[in-house]
Amino acid sequence: TQSTWGSRFPQKMVFFFQPNDDRVLIYMGRDKWENEELLKYGWDEDIWFHVDGLSSAHVYVRMWPGAGVEELPEAVLTDCAQLVKQNSIEGCKKNNVKICYTPFANLRKGGDMDVGQVGFHDQRKVRYITVEKRDNAIINRLNRTKSERNPDLAAEREQHIKALAREKKSVLKQTQRSQREMELQQKEEEERNSYDRIFNSDNMRTNKEFGSGTIEDARRFEEDFM
């Protein structure tokens, strides 16, 4: 499915910022229309930020595969909180601004909601941080890395999902291969142990136990065995 961004907004519209942690990337929409598009094509690794109770930009941090809120670095959390406060018309003028953040998968978009408006599937997964005041050093550092692009979000998301599926399939194959090798080693070990028991010296009988080797000695041994 082709993104509608190009037809609706011929201009570039997504801002990207690079924090000091190279494992992550911060991005945000330019206005509520871009926010609406970002809500359609986010990744499960994304974490969403917004000023609580006030209008603001939607700021996202894209984590590395498999990472979530629990792995969010403290410095990146601070960067995102500062950035979303700065990009709130009311919030940027206030101190002690409350910021909410949650995994992208927890965002809920209802058909009756306004453009750019969003809710949550589970309120318990929403976290909060208070920004006491603007930190010029952080804002200036992030702005120096700022770039504006017009990505095909739909295509990028589709490629990402396919890449994850390939990786999952590869891991599954490797797991199955390792399991088969383990089962084969276990079988070989069991066969080796069984062979060793059969030919254990304690179970072997020597010629001396059969006497002089005459027919009479053999018969006598058979009678004892019976």
Side-chain angles (χ1 to χ4, degrees), residues 68-86:
V69 173
E70 297 296 336
E71 291 77 29
L72 179 62
E74 189 71 24
V76 177
L77 170 61
T78 301
D79 282 358
C80 291
Q82 283 285 337
L83 189 61
V84 75
K85 175 188 181 304
Q86 178 63 20

Side-chain angles (χ1 to χ4, degrees), residues 157-219:
R157 185 173 188 271
E158 184 177 357
Q159 291 172 3
H160 175 64
I161 291 174
K162 288 181 178 180
L164 290 179
R166 288 194 298 269
E167 183 179 356
K168 183 177 180 180
K169 186 176 181 180
S170 176
V171 171
L172 178 60
K173 285 185 176 180
Q174 180 60 41
T175 301
Q176 292 174 338
R177 186 182 301 111
S178 298
Q179 185 174 356
R180 287 195 299 268
E181 291 176 354
M182 185 180 301
E183 290 174 351
L184 181 60
Q185 291 177 357
Q186 184 177 1
K187 183 178 179 180
E188 291 176 349
E189 183 69 21
E190 290 175 352
E191 291 177 351
R192 187 159 47 249
N193 291 339
S194 176
Y195 182 85
D196 290 343
R197 282 196 300 271
I198 293 175
F199 290 94
N200 189 295
S201 60
D202 293 338
N203 298 327
M204 302 293 288
R205 310 302 294 268
T206 65
N207 288 336
K208 292 182 178 179
E209 295 179 79
F210 292 93
S212 60
T214 63
I215 295 177
E216 183 179 352
D217 290 334
R219 287 175 178 172

Side-chain angles (χ1 to χ4, degrees), residues 83-206:
L83 189 61
V84 75
K85 175 188 181 304
Q86 178 63 20
N87 286 276
S88 170
I89 295 175
E90 295 182 60
C92 68
K93 304 172 185 176
K94 299 181 177 181
N95 292 333
N96 298 314
V97 175
K98 190 176 182 181
I99 310 298
C100 60
Y101 62 104
T102 193
F104 172 78
N106 192 40
L107 299 180
R108 178 181 60 82
K109 181 65 181 182
D112 58 340
M113 292 181 176
D114 292 336
V115 175
Q117 187 178 8
V118 68
F120 307 113
H121 292 294
D122 189 347
Q123 187 66 40
R124 294 171 298 180
K125 294 182 179 180
V126 181
R127 301 189 180 193
Y128 299 90
I129 181 175
T130 298
V131 177
E132 182 180 352
K133 61 182 180 180
R134 170 190 166 111
D135 189 322
N136 289 322
I138 291 178
I139 297 301
N140 292 338
R141 170 171 53 78
L142 290 173
N143 281 334
R144 284 195 294 270
T145 72
K146 182 179 178 180
S147 63
E148 189 176 1
R149 292 178 246 156
N150 183 17
D152 187 338
L153 297 180
E156 288 185 359
R157 185 173 188 271
E158 184 177 357
Q159 291 172 3
H160 175 64
I161 291 174
K162 288 181 178 180
L164 290 179
R166 288 194 298 269
E167 183 179 356
K168 183 177 180 180
K169 186 176 181 180
S170 176
V171 171
L172 178 60
K173 285 185 176 180
Q174 180 60 41
T175 301
Q176 292 174 338
R177 186 182 301 111
S178 298
Q179 185 174 356
R180 287 195 299 268
E181 291 176 354
M182 185 180 301
E183 290 174 351
L184 181 60
Q185 291 177 357
Q186 184 177 1
K187 183 178 179 180
E188 291 176 349
E189 183 69 21
E190 290 175 352
E191 291 177 351
R192 187 159 47 249
N193 291 339
S194 176
Y195 182 85
D196 290 343
R197 282 196 300 271
I198 293 175
F199 290 94
N200 189 295
S201 60
D202 293 338
N203 298 327
M204 302 293 288
R205 310 302 294 268
T206 65

Side-chain angles (χ1 to χ4, degrees), residues 16-19 21-27 46 60-63 76 80 149:
F16 293 87
F17 304 85
Q18 182 58 60
D21 193 325
D22 292 336
R23 296 174 299 174
V24 303
L25 181 67
I26 297 172
Y27 68 97
D46 292 347
Y60 296 80
V61 56
R62 179 152 293 168
M63 302 287 284
V76 177
C80 291
R149 292 178 246 156

